[in-house]
Amino acid sequence: LKVSTLNHARQHVRSWRRIQNSRPPMSYRELDEASVCEFAQEFLRSARSEIRAEVIEEGNINRVFRVHGREESIIVKQGLPYFRMAGRSWVLSRHRSRTEAAAAQLHGGLAPDIVTRLRYFDGAQSVMVFEDLPNDITWRRSLMRENLAPHVAPSIGRYCAAVAINTGPGLRDDIKRGSLAHSFPYTELCALAESLIFVAPYVDSPSNRIEPQLGDIALSLRRDRGLLDSMSALRYKFRNEREALVHGDLHTGSVLVGAAKTTVFDLEFAYFGPMALDTGFVFAHLCLARIAHSVQGHVEYCRSIDSSFSSFWKSFAYHVELEWTGGKSELDDFLARLMIDTARFAGAEMIRRIVGFAHAEDIDSLPDAFRSSAQRAALAVGRSLVTGPPADNLEGAWKMAIELLDGSAA
């Protein structure tokens, strides 16, 4: 099953290599709402006068459009050659678009019902065309609205398991693993993430965004020798542990939720790294969502999030065990190491989403009366996950985090 699944994924990769050459090459130009309509015309089977576009994300490294035709719409995503917040002087390689396109195709072959469908890739323009799911919202937004979407967490668990089995420890073919590692190296985006997650929050970095009421605790993070040592070890794993082709930025903001569908997108940070990075980020962002509801007294919905985390991990463990071809002791060792590192990476992610550059909307959007307590709770839980003793299992780590949260909220 694993070999056929990986071969199917490789067919997807070959398919995007074919379609990326379906247009004559053009020199790079940044798209705007007018030029993207011209670009998208052949995908929409509509006259130019029937096409309109809107910018739906003006990010620091990408510009994303929704382009509407007569009968359908598509998503057009273009990689920018600079870091927008820092200005055009901070030059970035556009190779990340090629990485995202290849990762979307490969992961799409492993979990075709979960990963966003890539329709076209233009390497010269750093442009990708994706299916549009206009009625779906991000998992984060769904959680913020207290929606019940019990199908999402187990789907993400199954997706992570497919990655682990077919690109990670479950893939017994060392040649194929070596080929994947070579095709998805540590990139400048990885280096940027490394700095923002494991370094900047623990120094006086201009990239940090620290609210005044958190100045004391931010300073304590920088003086916590145990935390700094643990973060250094995690940073080493992030950079050097070549385990699986991970998404690299898998959180509630990179998952779309439909009535009965789950879609993973935004794979531009994909690289051959530690499997616990993906599972850790899911842990972190579910925990941040729970904190946001806990400080507001939403007890019943907190229980729903607890259930979501449990179903995520159970789904992951079940599907890994289902397709594991090695011995039982190897599987046990893999899961044991993964659980420890998942909790550690989760803690690092939670901390940086409060005092680092990129914050969590779940927390930042809270009214002033709740936000400070939520921020402090997130930092306390994050620090405990990174430096505390490892739990016997991941659900035990979640329980420990919740007990600490409930105690701080009290």
Side-chain angles (χ1 to χ4, degrees):
L1 177 61
K2 287 183 296 183
V3 173
S4 63
T5 302
L6 192 57
N7 287 338
H8 180 59
R10 290 182 182 280
Q11 291 173 9
H12 278 248
V13 173
R14 286 193 290 270
S15 72
W16 79 260
R17 286 174 178 159
R18 287 195 298 272
I19 63 174
Q20 69 170 320
N21 297 317
S22 62
R23 287 176 175 231
M26 298 172 58
S27 59
Y28 179 85
R29 62 170 181 164
E30 287 184 36
L31 295 175
D32 56 26
E33 289 169 294
S35 57
V36 76
C37 290
E38 298 173 9
F39 171 87
Q41 185 171 356
E42 72 176 78
F43 301 102
L44 293 171
R45 299 184 298 278
S46 303
R48 174 64 183 86
S49 60
E50 298 174 301
I51 299 174
R52 59 184 176 85
E54 57 184 315
V55 177
I56 60 173
E57 180 185 328
E58 189 71 74
N60 277 311
I61 58 177
N62 300 297
R63 185 173 292 127
V64 184
F65 303 86
R66 173 173 283 123
V67 189
H68 304 265
R70 183 174 59 249
E71 298 177 352
E72 64 173 326
S73 58
I74 57 174
I75 298 297
V76 178
K77 179 177 183 178
Q78 183 178 41
L80 299 175
Y82 55 88
F83 190 65
R84 188 175 62 85
M85 180 170 283
R88 292 175 181 267
S89 61
W90 187 332
V91 178
L92 286 177
S93 166
R94 292 182 287 110
H95 183 77
R96 66 184 182 277
S97 297
R98 190 174 298 275
T99 296
E100 179 172 5
Q105 285 296 321
L106 184 56
H107 280 198
L110 302 177
D113 60 325
I114 298 177
V115 178
T116 186
R117 184 168 68 90
L118 177 69
R119 292 180 54 176
Y120 175 81
F121 170 64
D122 183 330
Q125 293 293 309
S126 301
V127 168
M128 291 161 283
V129 177
F130 292 101
E131 65 176 335
D132 187 19
L133 301 168
N135 297 319
D136 293 2
I137 60 175
T138 64
W139 194 9
R140 174 179 292 132
R141 189 56 55 118
S142 178
L143 290 163
M144 290 171 66
R145 294 177 182 176
E146 298 185 65
N147 292 345
L148 296 176
H151 62 286
V152 180
S155 294
I156 299 303
R158 179 162 58 87
Y159 163 69
C160 289
V163 171
I165 287 294
N166 292 286
T167 75
L171 178 60
R172 299 291 163 175
D173 189 326
D174 290 338
I175 294 177
K176 288 182 179 178
R177 280 173 53 81
S179 176
L180 284 171
H182 178 75
S183 299
F184 294 93
Y186 191 90
T187 65
E188 68 174 344
L189 269 195
C190 297
L192 178 62
E194 176 188 325
S195 175
L196 293 176
I197 298 170
F198 304 106
V199 180
Y202 307 98
V203 297
D204 186 16
S205 170
S207 67
N208 293 335
R209 295 193 297 126
I210 303 170
E211 295 191 20
Q213 70 272 16
L214 298 178
D216 60 333
I217 195 169
L219 185 61
S220 76
L221 294 175
R222 300 172 197 167
R223 294 175 173 174
D224 186 334
R225 175 49 55 189
L227 177 63
L228 297 179
D229 289 346
S230 296
M231 209 57 64
S232 178
L234 281 175
R235 181 185 180 190
Y236 182 86
K237 283 179 178 287
F238 180 87
R239 177 186 281 270
N240 295 291
E241 195 163 276
R242 302 287 185 258
E243 190 172 41
L245 176 56
V246 297
H247 180 289
D249 195 29
L250 184 63
H251 54 73
T252 54
S254 55
V255 177
L256 290 174
V257 177
K261 182 175 173 59
T262 303
T263 306
V264 170
F265 66 103
D266 269 359
L267 286 96
E268 62 202 347
F269 285 86
Y271 78 112
F272 214 74
M275 188 65 226
L277 188 69
D278 282 356
T279 52
F281 280 14
V282 173
F283 184 128
H285 285 264
L286 283 176
C287 197
L288 288 168
R290 193 193 190 282
I291 288 170
H293 287 287
S294 178
V295 297
Q296 297 177 86
H298 301 162
V299 177
E300 288 302 317
Y301 197 69
C302 285
R303 293 191 183 119
S304 173
I305 297 176
D306 294 342
S307 178
S308 290
F309 176 77
S310 178
S311 61
F312 159 72
W313 181 250
K314 286 178 179 177
S315 175
F316 173 81
Y318 169 79
H319 285 97
V320 166
E321 186 172 1
L322 188 66
E323 297 193 40
W324 188 268
T325 58
K328 180 67 164 57
S329 61
E330 287 180 292
L331 174 62
D332 291 343
D333 288 345
F334 165 64
L335 290 176
R337 284 186 290 103
L338 185 75
M339 286 188 287
I340 293 172
D341 288 346
T342 291
R344 303 288 195 230
F345 278 119
E349 174 70 357
M350 291 178 71
I351 291 171
R352 75 100 167 199
R353 290 290 182 172
I354 302 299
V355 297
F357 173 72
H359 286 194
E361 185 184 1
D362 322 56
I363 306 295
D364 275 13
S365 63
L366 290 172
D368 292 345
F370 299 116
R371 191 170 66 253
S372 180
S373 58
Q375 291 167 328
R376 288 180 176 273
L379 292 172
V381 171
R383 189 189 300 217
S384 179
L385 287 170
V386 173
T387 62
D392 293 336
N393 57 70
L394 206 56
E395 289 189 87
W398 178 268
K399 182 180 179 182
M400 178 276 296
I402 297 314
E403 288 175 349
L404 179 61
L405 164 62
D406 290 345
S408 64

